[in-house]
Amino acid sequence: MKRVIFTLFFLGILIYAPWWIVFIVAVSGTFLFSWYVEVIVAGLLFDILYGALGLSLFGFGILGFMTAVILFFGVQKIKQNLR
């Protein structure tokens, strides 16, 4: 139940907050919950909503998606080393 509530909170933050707050909440969610793959879906949603074209693939911006994938696997590796 906590994960669902946090995911709804995270989606609200994704829509209304600046990118750096979204990043902080994504890192904390990935650190708190095991295999929090919702952060990757949120990266796709970020690209769809805001169209960040810094990194593109076939004309579609994938900057948020790539950041989310790197964040997800990076925090998973950090969690393995800490626990």
Side-chain angles (χ1 to χ4, degrees), residues 3-69:
R3 187 174 180 139
V4 173
I5 292 171
F6 187 83
T7 301
L8 292 174
F9 170 72
F10 181 49
L11 290 176
I13 291 292
L14 179 73
I15 293 171
Y16 293 113
W19 69 269
W20 53 274
I21 294 176
V22 174
F23 186 77
I24 292 170
V25 173
V27 168
S28 64
T30 307
F31 193 75
L32 291 174
F33 300 108
S34 63
W35 286 96
Y36 192 67
V37 294
E38 289 90 338
V39 75
I40 296 174
V41 176
L44 283 173
L45 184 61
F46 189 83
D47 287 334
I48 291 170
L49 287 174
Y50 302 113
L53 293 176
L55 180 65
S56 63
L57 180 67
F58 303 115
F60 298 107
I62 59 167
L63 184 63
F65 175 71
M66 291 305 295
T67 304
V69 169

